Amino acid sequence: MATTGLPVPAFYAEGTIAKADIIGTAAGQLGHANGFPLVPAYGAGKTVEFVSAVLMLEFDTAAYTGGGNTTINISGGGAAMSGLVSNANFIQSAADKIIQFVPLAATFNTLSSNTGLNLVTATAPTDPGTAASVIHYRVTYLIHTDQL
């Protein structure tokens, strides 16, 4: 087996998901079927490998209602790459919440070339009128050059 001896560098994507993007249902928002983009696709011949993510719900005023189980998925409607957190334990929380997502371990993950990573919830969260929480995220990932 050939090896270069050089490590693959890790990359980080970080940002904040604003209230409008948490409850919104348009493309690129958490309530959309494909979710909120966390890591972009890097183009033809590049594959993103999910390593881990930390998401922090910064609670403000009132909890969101609705929303479903949340996972990190391959962008564009692809498969879940992480385990899930229930809506009650994250989006509907009435307090600050810090959670970690890691890759699914029950079976192998099939990666897709030229795709990114999205945060996806099964159903759109809703604002009961005064919710103002935001979600901060930091995702660790690798980029592989396809050798196919």
Side-chain angles (χ1 to χ4, degrees):
M1 181 166 100
T3 179
T4 63
L6 299 175
V8 175
F11 294 91
Y12 303 95
E14 59 186 353
T16 299
I17 306 173
K19 172 186 172 177
D21 288 326
I22 292 172
I23 62 172
T25 57
Q29 296 179 314
L30 186 57
H32 186 270
N34 292 338
F36 182 88
L38 301 173
V39 175
Y42 278 83
K46 302 290 184 185
T47 298
V48 171
E49 176 189 349
F50 171 60
V51 176
S52 71
V54 174
L55 278 74
M56 296 158 273
L57 178 76
E58 184 179 343
F59 179 76
D60 190 356
T61 311
Y64 293 107
T65 56
N69 295 335
T70 303
T71 55
I72 294 178
N73 292 26
I74 294 172
S75 64
M81 300 305 295
S82 73
L84 62 83
V85 62
S86 71
N87 57 342
N89 286 315
F90 186 53
I91 292 171
Q92 288 185 357
S93 183
D96 290 347
K97 189 74 85 156
I98 301 172
I99 59 169
Q100 180 185 29
F101 285 103
V102 296
L104 289 168
T107 184
F108 64 89
N109 284 324
T110 300
L111 305 178
S112 297
S113 183
N114 195 17
T115 58
L117 299 170
N118 287 9
L119 186 66
V120 177
T121 185
T123 57
T126 55
D127 176 7
T130 56
S133 302
V134 298
I135 299 171
H136 303 288
Y137 63 90
R138 186 165 192 180
V139 182
T140 306
Y141 62 98
L142 306 174
I143 302 170
H144 299 283
T145 300
D146 299 349
Q147 306 267 322
L148 304 175

